[in-house]
Amino acid sequence: MRIALKLAFIAFGLGLIAYMFSLDDQAQEDMMEELPVLGDGVSPDEEDQSGNEPSAGDDNLPSEEENDGNADMDETENGPGEEVSSGSSTEENGDNGGDETEDISDTEVSEGYHTYIGETAEVLTDAYGDPDRTDMTQYGYEWYVWNEDHYLQAGVSEGEVVSLYTNMYSDLLSPFTVGEPYEELKADQGFEEEVSLTGDFSTFTFNLSESDVKTRPLVEYDGVYVQLYFDTFDGTLSSVRYSDEETLVLHQPYSLTYSRSMPEKPELSDGEWEAVEEGMARQVFDLTNNFRKRHGIEELEWHEDTAQVALGHSRDMYENEYFSHSSPAHGELSDRLTAEGVQYHMAAENIAARYDDAAAAVEGWLNSEGHRVNLKHEDLTHLGVGVYREFYTQNFITPW
């Protein structure tokens, strides 16, 4: 009897120990689920059919994939979305950054950027010279891009300026200033949840959510529509976009009600889409470096092999209808980089989907903590960007 009691006691003790180990294992699993893997993903609400962009604080982000064990938070002292792995050097190209944030004043003219809307492209090139490049868009206009002494994207359709965008300081943004506090601009401009258009588009009304008003309000200024993108971490203006009515409706950045036909987007061939996607990839790269420059962080260098990995992942997500850092066919970022022959010391990834263009995607990333860590990470030195239709992938690396 005593022996039976002893055996029962021993069995109970072993069971208790096993249960304690089970609790420890579960705690480890929970911790691993909380650790991000190679960057976070952001996507608009799947049920939102209006084309709205996501904003900070939305509960519609995809769940983060479980780490495969390659991430080493102690060794790298990195925040979310970083991985350390072995590798060797690869071919690189691009310009090396590193300049600290500086005030950039454009050609001195008496008017602001908004006065160019409706003018001919010649008026713009007379002021700033020929653009450094032109990028095709899916909306029927081209971006003229200046990226030397100042950064400016100007949308030109049939020889007329229809949009302008920048995320760098300029006197010509007046009465808006990159870095200006949200509350000051709100008091000045009076942000509204409904903005009705005028002229031929007077039956169109944009309906902004509470989140839209906090992160990217829409105002009319001197007959031009202005989207003000805010950095919700700093509480300051991050970038400004000016548009005419038709261009704003084509982008449909907010929920929209209307009682006449919508303007039609052009039908693009595969070759035309490729040109659009290449342009958006370069814009993501430029805007990311502008963001780093504003924060006094060394600029990233373009890495072509990594860009091909990023493009492949964006295309894979589009064609196979999923949204994740983990590809069912090609695995994790580390697997994809290795398959392309990219050898690296550190890597991270940001993904996004269904934003209306590159500028909107970058603004979405910088307002999400995990993505922002990757954008500002001082130990990451190179960037490859791949865009396929409305899927965006940033792959950051530090080569061996």
Side-chain angles (χ1 to χ4, degrees), residues 253-267:
Y254 314 96
S255 177
L256 179 64
T257 57
Y258 56 98
S259 59
R260 53 156 283 188
S261 60
M262 288 279 291
E264 294 184 3
K265 297 178 186 178
E267 293 288 335

Side-chain angles (χ1 to χ4, degrees), residues 305-356:
D305 289 344
T306 303
Q308 291 304 310
V309 174
L311 175 59
H313 190 56
S314 289
R315 181 167 186 159
D316 186 35
M317 288 190 291
Y318 172 82
E319 292 181 343
N320 293 292
E321 299 181 346
Y322 74 94
F323 184 75
S324 172
H325 296 287
S326 180
S327 165
H330 306 290
E332 309 298 331
L333 174 57
S334 56
D335 301 317
R336 289 179 267 124
L337 288 170
T338 299
E340 189 67 24
V342 178
Q343 299 180 351
Y344 57 92
H345 168 63
M346 183 184 297
E349 179 174 83
N350 287 343
I351 57 176
R354 299 214 323 267
Y355 283 89
D356 57 329

Side-chain angles (χ1 to χ4, degrees), residues 207-358:
N207 303 288
L208 282 66
S209 67
E210 183 179 347
S211 179
D212 291 334
V213 173
K214 290 180 179 178
T215 60
R216 51 194 186 99
L218 176 65
V219 299
E220 182 183 358
Y221 177 73
D222 201 15
V224 174
Y225 292 91
V226 189
Q227 289 175 270
L228 301 171
Y229 295 91
F230 285 92
D231 183 329
T232 58
F233 287 84
D234 293 344
T236 60
L237 186 64
S238 173
S239 64
V240 180
R241 187 197 301 256
Y242 303 95
S243 301
D244 65 11
E245 293 93 340
E246 182 172 358
T247 303
L248 188 62
V249 170
L250 280 169
H251 277 253
Q252 197 178 334
Y254 314 96
S255 177
L256 179 64
T257 57
Y258 56 98
S259 59
R260 53 156 283 188
S261 60
M262 288 279 291
E264 294 184 3
K265 297 178 186 178
E267 293 288 335
L268 302 183
S269 66
D270 288 343
E272 289 170 330
W273 263 117
E274 185 176 350
V276 169
E277 292 153 358
E278 288 176 357
M280 286 199 287
R282 294 305 302 195
Q283 291 157 34
V284 168
F285 177 75
D286 291 340
L287 297 172
T288 297
N289 273 334
N290 290 348
F291 175 72
R292 289 170 69 94
K293 186 185 294 186
R294 292 206 320 260
H295 289 272
I297 303 170
E298 186 173 354
E299 295 178 54
L300 300 162
E301 294 185 38
W302 180 263
H303 198 281
E304 182 59 33
D305 289 344
T306 303
Q308 291 304 310
V309 174
L311 175 59
H313 190 56
S314 289
R315 181 167 186 159
D316 186 35
M317 288 190 291
Y318 172 82
E319 292 181 343
N320 293 292
E321 299 181 346
Y322 74 94
F323 184 75
S324 172
H325 296 287
S326 180
S327 165
H330 306 290
E332 309 298 331
L333 174 57
S334 56
D335 301 317
R336 289 179 267 124
L337 288 170
T338 299
E340 189 67 24
V342 178
Q343 299 180 351
Y344 57 92
H345 168 63
M346 183 184 297
E349 179 174 83
N350 287 343
I351 57 176
R354 299 214 323 267
Y355 283 89
D356 57 329
D357 66 6

